[in-house]
Amino acid sequence: MDRSVVVSKNIPEIPITEIVERASQLLGIREEVEKKVRGIANDVYLSDIGRKEDWSFLIATSSITFVERSNTGTASINTGGATITFSSDVTITSAMTGRKIKFYDNDYVYDIVGMSGTTGAVIGPTLSGTRNISSGAYEIFPPVYALNSDFERFPKNGGLHYFSGGRKVNVPEKSYQDYLEDYSPNTSEIQESCRVLGTDTAGNRLVEVTPPPQSAISAEYDYIRRIPPMRETTAGLIGNIDANGTTVRGDSNTQFAQATTGDFIRIDALGTGADSEWYPILAISGTSITLRTAFANTAVTSASYTIASVPRIPTMLHAGILYGTIVQLAAGQND
């Protein structure tokens, strides 16, 4: 196959618009179904490639800080009851709502669902068993912690770890069933396993560790970054671009605000598909764009344009998205 099918005129990257146009052209797909092609291209990018391997270029590192357990003083609660009364030396705050509590004289683990004045808390479910707890020992702890906003998943076999003797010790990620078998409600300085579950109100993924942390220490973790889908915008017209200039001025209908630095822009009249000439966007300000490299040796006024994002993976894999899209489309041509 001609090399020109793989690389556009002036850049090694292949923006999403060009992927869609090339795949459609090679398979003779009508323009009105290009939205379907774009969806498949993003699926190949995000799922078929992004999740297939623990790619080194997608691995990032962050940390979470465990919250120290609370076990000062004593707690009292009657069986079947929901309100705990703590001894006078205990400090109870609203920050404890949502944490867990374990009484040493009771086998169950309870959620703290609210406060009861300044000296008590409300649990759920109510206290099980036949024995009241009177001035008993307890531990309050949060076993669940928010991960980075772009967290997609841990690498295979887990990414959470702690340091011992100058070496990283992995805290393996377990399946739900295996995690239950490992579960311990008694806090410890060492965590033996973890599981990823749900999201918080901000949409961040959560990790639960067992045994729950005993001290306020930081735990490092490696993870696979979640990459956003690729998109494009074509609203309005370019007002003008000077020959060899770096400033693109749009009209009042342009949607430059939908773009981000690192996206690419082209003037459609100068070429589409493999004939595209793309220019990287350095900065965006209202209806004006600054290019990272000088525009072509020609001035343009009142022209249609396309701003498109590129895959956030090494350029050597961009063609894989193109041909993966073609394979997916060809397989469904009889649908």
Side-chain angles (χ1 to χ4, degrees):
M1 184 172 291
D2 193 297
R3 179 66 178 170
S4 63
V5 178
V6 181
V7 181
S8 57
K9 279 187 177 181
N10 63 327
I11 61 170
E13 297 90 349
I14 311 181
I16 178 63
T17 302
E18 191 173 323
I19 291 173
V20 171
E21 290 170 348
R22 292 187 189 184
S24 300
Q25 181 182 27
L26 288 170
L27 291 176
I29 293 176
R30 301 184 309 277
E31 183 177 345
E32 60 266 27
V33 295
E34 283 191 352
K35 288 183 179 179
K36 171 185 175 182
V37 182
R38 186 180 302 108
I40 291 175
N42 266 314
D43 287 344
V44 171
Y45 170 50
L46 298 172
S47 299
D48 291 358
I49 293 179
R51 296 173 184 169
K52 188 172 291 294
E53 300 288 343
D54 290 343
W55 301 106
S56 59
F57 50 80
L58 290 180
I59 292 180
T61 300
S62 188
S63 64
I64 51 179
T65 300
F66 295 140
V67 175
E68 185 177 7
R69 67 173 179 179
S70 299
N71 66 340
T72 303
T74 61
S76 299
I77 183 172
N78 293 329
T79 183
T83 302
I84 310 168
T85 301
F86 293 98
S87 56
S88 59
D89 55 344
V90 178
T91 300
I92 295 296
T93 70
S94 59
M96 292 180 178
T97 300
R99 297 182 187 179
K100 304 283 189 181
I101 185 168
K102 173 70 172 66
F103 304 102
Y104 285 170
D105 291 336
N106 190 278
D107 288 337
Y108 294 83
V109 179
Y110 302 89
D111 293 313
I112 296 180
V113 297
M115 298 292 103
S116 176
T118 58
T119 60
V122 179
I123 64 169
T126 57
L127 189 71
S128 299
T130 59
R131 296 175 56 188
N132 296 334
I133 295 174
S134 178
S135 299
Y138 70 93
E139 287 186 312
I140 294 175
F141 55 87
V144 176
Y145 295 86
L147 297 164
N148 239 39
S149 59
D150 64 346
F151 177 93
E152 171 72 20
R153 61 178 174 85
F154 283 130
K156 295 178 178 65
N157 301 319
L160 183 64
H161 49 259
Y162 61 89
F163 286 87
S164 178
R167 301 183 64 183
K168 291 183 178 182
V169 179
N170 187 48
V171 179
E173 181 183 7
K174 296 291 187 72
S175 65
Y176 176 73
Q177 201 62 43
D178 290 339
Y179 183 84
L180 287 183
E181 293 178 3
D182 288 346
Y183 181 78
S184 170
N186 301 313
T187 62
S188 172
E189 296 290 355
I190 299 298
Q191 282 59 62
E192 296 178 357
S193 63
C194 67
R195 67 176 179 130
V196 177
L197 72 164
T199 59
D200 62 13
T201 55
N204 300 317
R205 297 299 304 274
L206 300 170
V207 63
E208 182 178 8
V209 295
T210 188
Q214 191 173 97
S215 302
I217 60 173
S218 291
E220 189 179 77
Y221 64 93
D222 300 322
Y223 66 100
I224 305 296
R225 292 182 292 109
R226 181 172 62 248
I227 48 180
M230 297 179 287
R231 62 180 186 173
E232 67 174 34
T233 181
T234 59
L237 297 173
I238 294 301
N240 63 79
I241 313 173
D242 295 332
N244 300 310
T246 57
T247 300
V248 181
R249 300 172 186 86
D251 65 20
S252 59
N253 296 314
T254 54
Q255 297 295 319
F256 290 167
Q258 294 183 5
T260 61
T261 56
D263 287 349
F264 285 73
I265 186 171
R266 78 176 181 196
I267 303 303
D268 297 337
L270 299 182
T272 61
D275 291 325
S276 299
E277 293 185 28
W278 295 97
Y279 297 90
I281 296 173
L282 178 65
I284 304 169
S285 177
T287 57
S288 176
I289 283 177
T290 302
L291 303 180
R292 195 172 68 219
T293 57
F295 189 65
N297 188 25
T298 181
V300 175
T301 59
S302 299
S304 298
Y305 72 96
T306 299
I307 292 177
S309 51
V310 299
R312 296 187 181 183
I313 60 178
T315 54
M316 67 180 68
L317 294 176
H318 290 196
I321 301 174
L322 169 61
Y323 295 121
T325 301
I326 291 171
V327 169
Q328 294 272 9
L329 288 167
Q333 284 284 59
N334 294 325
D335 292 346

